[in-house]
Amino acid sequence: MALKTTGTGALAAIGAAMLLGAAAPAAQAAPVEPAGGLPVPQLPAPRLAPTDLGQAMEGTSSGLGYAVAPVKTLRLDPWAQSSADFLNNGVGVQPDNGLPAIGTGTLTGPLTAGGGAKDLPAVGPLLGALPG
């Protein structure tokens, strides 16, 4: 059986050498003097500007609104408003002591109408807290 080699071993060795080189402590470089005798100027260390928290939150919430809105309105029942919709069937119970009827139509009604998660009775108000 012939042994086939690929470039992954060489890539792994290069990656390990880079990681080990990055882990070694950085030596403080002395100013290098070129042949003309003038020292090379040292550049200041780069620093990040302070983050404006208000703008960061506004950008996050507006972007999150565009990402969450399709999920809230996604049609959950693919057979809604068709003759093959199995959620259109409901079960109800009428108690004898005068209480109102209890049935599954309250939960499955928004789905059989073609609604999304925002139209469900218990989940809809919770999803209203999300942006979008």
Side-chain angles (χ1 to χ4, degrees), residues 15-47:
M18 290 175 65
L19 286 176
L20 291 176
Q28 190 72 356
V32 177
E33 294 188 24
L38 296 174
V40 176
Q42 293 290 323
L43 297 175
R47 293 187 302 176

